Amino acid sequence: MADPGERAREEFFTEAQEIVEAFSRNLLSLDATLKAGGDDPSLVNEAFRAVHTLKGLAGLFGASKMGMLSHRLEDVLDALRLGRMHLSPQVLDTLFSAVDVYAQILVAEKEGSEAPLAAVDDLCAVLDALGSGGVPAGQLGSSYELDPGLLAVLTEYEEHRLRANIEHGLALYRLRVQFDLATIDRALEEIKERAKRHGEIITYLPTGESASPDTIELDLLMASRDDLATLIGTLGADHVVIEAVPRRRRPSLAAGTLHPPPPGGGTLVSLAPPAPGAEALVEEEPAPAEHAASLKSVTQTVRVDIKKLDHLMNIVGELSIVRGVLSRLSERVRADGQRQLSAEILRVHRNFDRRLGELRDAILEVRMVPLGQVFDRLARVVRQISRDVGKEIRLVITGAETEIDKLIVEELSDPLMHMIRNAIDHGIESAEVRERAGKPPAGTIALNAYQKGNHVMIEIEDDGGGIDEEALLEKAVAFGRIARAEAHDLSRQELLGLIFTPGVSTRDEPGDFSGRGVGMDVVKTNLGKIGGVIDVHSERGIGTKMTITLPITLAIVNALLVRVAGQVFAIAVSSVSEAIVFDPRKLKRIDGREVISLRGKTLPICRLDAVLALASEGPSEGRRYVVVTSLGARRLGLVVDAVLGQEDIVIKALGASFDDIRCLSGATELGDQRVGLVLDPAALLEEVLASAETAALGAALGG
């Protein structure tokens, strides 16, 4: 069991990372709001609260660099939310840079490094130069008759928002709402979200009254440009009473003078400070009854280390082996004539199989996270790079709620960032070029995700100039990646695929972000490591779309077991489209590779015994099969000696000694307690197709 101190520290990193990501999302929303010409003070306040929480966490765990940066950021954000500082694009840039610096701090803290970080000092210097803003906003020009109990609990921020709204001519309303105690958090957020369309909820306070012990009544103070009838029509309900807060009826009275009680009861005073001695005239409100204190947590969630889920999934894999043993035991007992005992074992097996399936599905569900986690980070990258290269980019994200395994999400970040960088630097033209081509000056990058069967598809599409195929081909020939004589034999898809060739780039001079030809081949390699493939489509003058096909999870896989040269191999069923009988008489040879025709389409053939260098058992007298694997738009037929059936497997790494073997993704323990190797269909596709192209290239060069 982990040391409690270590466990708490891991909790710190997890919580800090989540807060930094929330801070980043607030900044992105703030940026979008400003670009749309709007203003949402609540976003600044949420950013302030996030940084304030980070400062508290840093103090608890002795993270001095994080504490120092958070303190400086807190000053600037406080000035912004209180209206003492204007949120300019430069200030927003500075706030965005804090997200990256926080990431550096977390890495250093994780490694236990106490070395100073120059980025922290530099950013703190910039924040110090920004200062904490000028003088607060002017005094309130007019006032409303407000409950003094409410005024007494206003925070500095809420008082600022009250003054700012009144100065902007918004009217004040009081919403008296009955909440169920069990759901107050969610219900309060819902009504605040609905109220946003009409104004701003400035604060709220319990009234001390309730219809039952299970409910609580709150007064919500709201500022809005809408009239009372509109608000009642949109926010009113049986448990919501809305009334306008009257303006002061006797402006000639001295500040702080007691006002007549409103129709609904309660004491009302002006927002202006009371005159000396006036306090004695104010009747003290009875203190609201305190609710019984409770130490029960309101949250129903727990954080779980992904390694613990891996361990649980390994146990499921072990239980799958037990399930297989039970099945075989039932068959053996039945063969011995003990039908009654066989039936009982079979009944236990079926019940065990059902429960095991439920356990597996539950663990898989826990591992799933929305792709929005990585898309949010990409939005920040788009904003930063587009400013650095001087291009206006509109990022459109759809399908962020699509879920995929947590481990796959983490491995996706870098490949997607490379592709986004390339799209901005290579794909999107400058504003002048776009206008000459009849396009809007702002380029668009669409990031779309959706589930398709057992795979998750991610599309990155830009409306730029498209890939210059001729320039790409010339670079590939110049780098010796392809013979010029073979160029005319390349299909369009193969030609576009040259962008994944190491060293090949369509740019003559490398830029700050791309152009060295070392990005896309790494992207393809890294995607292959998590079972993904990438396809590219491009039209000159219209744009480029790259489609990534990924498995939903790598934790447990439903696999097809096959036998090749006496060895058992597993192939993920999600990559298999069908299995057909192999007929050698239908083989043809095109461009140096064996193919067959399957329903009118050419299917490349891979003889697994040859690719894996297995000793062949000689010409088989029996029937052989072709297992058709399909990833994205590409297909490959694997020739196997026998198809043995399906089985759930847990893939285990082969270790560093087998890193060079590209066609295997790991090993697994099979139901009969033997060890089987797991084939990697994506790597096989690359290996077989590349081998054929290399053979053709060698023949051409030799010729």
Side-chain angles (χ1 to χ4, degrees):
M1 184 176 291
D3 177 75
E6 283 299 315
R7 200 161 57 228
R9 194 162 175 77
E10 283 301 318
E11 285 284 321
F12 158 67
F13 288 120
T14 304
E15 188 168 355
Q17 182 68 49
E18 289 177 358
I19 295 172
V20 171
E21 289 175 0
F23 176 58
S24 175
R25 285 195 295 274
N26 286 333
L27 296 182
L28 287 168
S29 300
L30 205 53
D31 186 38
T33 303
L34 290 178
K35 285 178 178 174
D39 178 28
D40 189 349
S42 66
L43 291 173
V44 179
N45 193 44
E46 287 175 16
F48 170 84
R49 288 161 56 187
V51 170
H52 182 72
T53 306
L54 272 179
K55 190 174 80 168
L57 269 180
L60 280 174
F61 289 90
S64 57
K65 300 184 190 73
M66 178 178 288
M68 181 173 66
L69 176 59
S70 300
H71 183 72
R72 302 293 208 290
L73 277 170
E74 201 180 46
D75 287 344
V76 171
L77 286 164
D78 196 36
L80 288 169
R81 72 186 190 130
L82 296 181
R84 297 197 300 262
M85 184 185 294
H86 173 63
L87 181 59
S88 65
Q90 291 73 27
V91 173
L92 194 56
D93 286 346
T94 303
L95 296 178
F96 267 111
S97 64
V99 177
D100 295 328
V101 177
Y102 271 132
Q104 294 181 39
I105 292 174
L106 284 174
V107 171
E109 289 289 340
K110 188 95 175 175
E111 295 172 348
S113 170
E114 296 182 357
L117 286 174
V120 177
D121 296 334
D122 293 346
L123 182 55
C124 284
V126 174
L127 293 169
D128 286 343
L130 289 175
S132 56
V135 297
Q139 295 298 310
L140 195 60
S142 62
S143 59
Y144 282 79
E145 295 176 341
L146 290 165
D147 189 328
L150 184 145
L151 294 176
V153 297
L154 285 182
T155 64
E156 190 180 7
Y157 170 70
E158 290 168 343
E159 188 173 336
H160 161 70
R161 292 308 310 157
L162 177 59
R163 290 175 186 279
N165 279 301
I166 292 175
E167 285 176 358
H168 285 88
L170 275 71
L172 297 183
Y173 298 92
R174 179 172 54 217
L175 282 64
R176 181 154 291 186
V177 189
Q178 292 278 347
F179 291 99
D180 192 305
L181 279 173
T183 59
I184 183 171
D185 290 341
R186 189 180 71 246
L188 184 57
E189 287 304 316
E190 285 176 356
I191 197 166
K192 285 166 73 176
E193 193 61 33
R194 286 166 55 203
K196 264 188 178 180
R197 302 166 197 162
H198 306 279
E200 177 182 356
I201 297 291
I202 297 170
T203 189
Y204 53 87
L205 190 69
T207 64
E209 301 172 3
S210 62
S212 72
D214 297 328
T215 61
I216 183 171
E217 188 178 79
L218 298 185
D219 268 350
L220 280 64
L221 181 61
M222 177 179 179
S224 174
R225 292 190 185 281
D226 293 335
D227 57 27
L228 180 61
T230 302
L231 293 181
I232 291 175
T234 54
L235 300 175
D238 291 343
H239 64 294
V240 180
V241 177
I242 305 174
E243 58 186 18
V245 177
R247 293 180 180 274
R248 283 201 305 175
R249 295 177 181 173
R250 290 182 293 172
S252 60
L253 291 178
T257 301
L258 184 67
H259 294 280
T267 302
L268 304 177
V269 299
S270 83
L271 188 60
E279 293 85 347
L281 298 176
V282 180
E283 293 182 9
E284 290 188 2
E285 290 284 338
E290 293 185 359
H291 296 286
S294 172
L295 295 178
K296 287 176 64 177
S297 171
V298 296
T299 180
Q300 297 294 315
T301 60
V302 294
R303 292 195 181 96
V304 181
D305 192 321
I306 191 71
K307 291 177 183 174
K308 293 182 179 177
L309 294 179
D310 281 341
H311 178 62
L312 285 177
M313 196 54 82
N314 280 332
I315 294 175
V316 169
E318 302 292 337
L319 291 175
S320 296
I321 296 173
V322 175
R323 179 187 56 187
V325 171
L326 277 176
S327 178
R328 283 192 302 280
L329 184 61
S330 171
E331 293 172 1
R332 190 188 304 169
V333 171
R334 186 181 180 84
D336 290 344
Q338 303 180 57
R339 292 180 174 275
Q340 181 66 29
L341 181 57
S342 173
E344 290 181 10
I345 296 175
L346 190 59
R347 189 164 55 251
V348 171
H349 170 263
R350 286 173 179 165
N351 189 37
F352 184 79
D353 183 50
R354 187 173 63 254
R355 299 298 182 191
L356 188 60
E358 292 172 356
L359 177 61
R360 180 201 59 197
D361 293 345
I363 297 174
L364 285 178
E365 187 178 346
V366 172
R367 296 173 64 97
M368 296 294 129
V369 294
L371 276 167
Q373 287 189 1
V374 68
F375 286 0
D376 286 341
R377 298 175 212 164
L378 293 174
R380 203 171 66 245
V381 170
V382 169
R383 181 184 184 277
Q384 183 62 45
I385 297 178
S386 61
R387 291 172 67 90
D388 290 343
V389 300
K391 296 178 182 177
E392 186 180 352
I393 305 294
R394 194 170 65 97
L395 178 66
V396 180
I397 294 177
T398 53
E401 71 283 356
T402 307
E403 292 190 330
I404 197 168
D405 193 290
K406 170 71 174 172
L407 288 180
I408 295 179
V409 163
E410 293 304 318
E411 298 300 323
L412 265 180
S413 301
D414 288 344
L416 287 178
M417 187 174 69
H418 274 293
M419 296 165 73
I420 292 286
R421 280 178 173 173
N422 269 2
I424 297 174
D425 203 19
H426 283 245
I428 304 291
E429 315 94 326
S430 65
E432 297 76 18
V433 173
R434 291 179 63 84
E435 286 180 334
R436 285 201 297 272
K439 296 181 178 179
T444 298
I445 294 178
L447 198 54
N448 181 34
Y450 57 93
Q451 186 172 341
K452 183 178 180 182
N454 291 320
H455 290 93
V456 165
M457 315 293 290
I458 301 176
E459 298 171 345
I460 304 99
E461 185 172 10
D462 68 67
D463 66 345
I467 296 175
D468 186 340
E469 296 170 22
E470 292 182 7
L472 192 64
L473 182 59
E474 287 301 319
K475 285 292 180 68
V477 171
F479 278 94
R481 304 298 181 189
I482 188 170
R484 188 174 293 280
E486 292 297 313
H488 66 277
D489 292 332
L490 291 179
S491 67
R492 189 157 185 274
Q493 201 58 37
E494 290 170 330
L495 187 55
L496 290 172
L498 290 174
I499 64 168
F500 300 111
T501 307
V504 175
S505 170
T506 54
R507 288 189 65 156
D508 294 327
E509 296 293 334
D512 292 336
F513 302 102
S514 55
R516 291 178 170 81
V518 296
M520 294 306 292
D521 65 311
V522 175
V523 165
K524 189 173 184 178
T525 302
N526 289 344
L527 289 175
K529 288 179 180 175
I530 51 177
V533 295
I534 180 169
D535 294 297
V536 56
H537 300 275
S538 184
E539 295 292 338
R540 287 290 287 167
I542 297 177
T544 301
K545 180 166 85 172
M546 298 203 180
T547 305
I548 300 172
T549 305
L550 290 163
I552 292 177
T553 182
L554 298 175
I556 190 165
V557 177
N558 184 233
L560 181 70
L561 303 184
V562 299
R563 189 175 66 240
V564 180
Q567 305 290 325
V568 177
F569 294 91
I571 312 170
V573 169
S574 59
S575 304
V576 176
S577 57
E578 61 183 309
I580 59 175
V581 176
F582 178 53
D583 186 352
R585 294 171 299 176
K586 295 183 179 178
L587 274 176
K588 298 177 184 175
R589 185 168 288 276
I590 299 177
D591 294 338
R593 71 178 66 140
E594 288 184 325
V595 301
I596 62 172
S597 177
L598 181 61
R599 290 189 285 277
K601 292 185 178 179
T602 301
L603 177 70
I605 291 296
C606 167
R607 293 182 183 266
L608 279 175
D609 53 356
V611 171
L612 300 174
L614 299 173
S616 173
E617 294 180 327
S620 173
E621 296 295 332
R623 179 178 290 181
R624 303 178 77 192
Y625 298 87
V626 176
V627 176
V628 182
T629 60
S630 176
L631 287 172
R634 287 174 286 179
R635 299 189 307 165
L636 182 66
L638 307 177
V639 179
V640 302
D641 296 333
V643 176
L644 305 177
Q646 294 184 31
E647 189 169 313
D648 288 340
I649 61 169
V650 176
I651 303 176
K652 299 181 180 179
L654 288 170
S657 303
F658 296 89
D659 279 352
D660 294 336
I661 303 177
R662 292 194 59 213
C663 299
L664 301 176
S665 58
T668 186
E669 193 169 1
L670 302 172
D672 56 4
Q673 298 180 314
R674 288 188 298 166
V675 174
L677 294 171
V678 184
L679 295 174
D680 183 347
L684 275 169
L685 268 167
E686 297 300 329
E687 186 77 16
V688 172
L689 299 182
S691 299
E693 289 168 4
T694 303
L697 173 61
L701 293 175

